[in-house]
Amino acid sequence: MFRRAFWFTAGAAAGVWATTKVNRQLKKLTPESLAAQAADKAVEAGHRLKDFALDVKAGMSQREDELNDALGLHQDPDRPDNVTALPGPRRLQAIRNDKTTHSKFSYNRNEDH
């Protein structure tokens, strides 16, 4: 008799537990709940994407500064558009090299047609 009462109680408890679990899952699958979950995931993805973009921008800026230092390029505050330029001696050398290169080879696009 006690065995039957024990198993009856255990079965009833398991039924209540299973019913509660199923009802919770069904509430999670309602359209309102699914929409809220999707919105939360979209907001979270947006935050991650924003963080990624900021990291990329910071890395680009850092790398640009490293390259400018390695090449000896500096910002010229006298220029209105704040364009990077070669320092004086290197700039003159580049201009001289540019003139000698163009004087050797003359290329006219109109000659091809």
Side-chain angles (χ1 to χ4, degrees):
M1 172 99 169
F2 288 110
R3 276 184 159 173
R4 287 183 183 174
F6 170 76
W7 286 114
F8 176 77
T9 306
V16 169
W17 177 78
T19 304
T20 305
K21 275 291 234 196
V22 167
N23 284 336
R24 284 184 190 162
Q25 290 299 325
L26 287 175
K27 284 182 183 178
K28 285 183 182 178
L29 296 176
T30 60
E32 295 83 16
S33 177
L34 290 175
Q37 289 176 10
D40 291 342
K41 297 281 184 180
V43 168
E44 182 180 334
H47 289 303
R48 286 184 182 174
L49 188 60
K50 179 182 174 186
D51 291 341
F52 175 72
L54 291 174
D55 288 344
V56 168
K57 186 175 179 180
M60 285 173 45
S61 176
Q62 179 183 359
R63 183 63 179 147
E64 184 178 1
D65 291 341
E66 290 172 3
L67 290 172
N68 285 339
D69 289 342
L71 294 173
L73 299 173
H74 302 288
Q75 294 286 344
D76 188 3
D78 295 334
R79 289 185 162 196
D81 54 357
N82 206 14
V83 175
T84 57
L86 288 171
R90 290 184 65 194
R91 187 178 191 186
L92 292 175
Q93 184 179 3
I95 291 171
R96 264 187 250 122
N97 288 341
D98 189 41
K99 286 182 181 177
T100 59
T101 305
H102 287 303
S103 64
K104 287 182 185 177
F105 303 105
S106 151
Y107 179 73
N108 185 356
R109 287 186 180 177
N110 293 330
E111 292 176 358
D112 291 343
H113 299 289

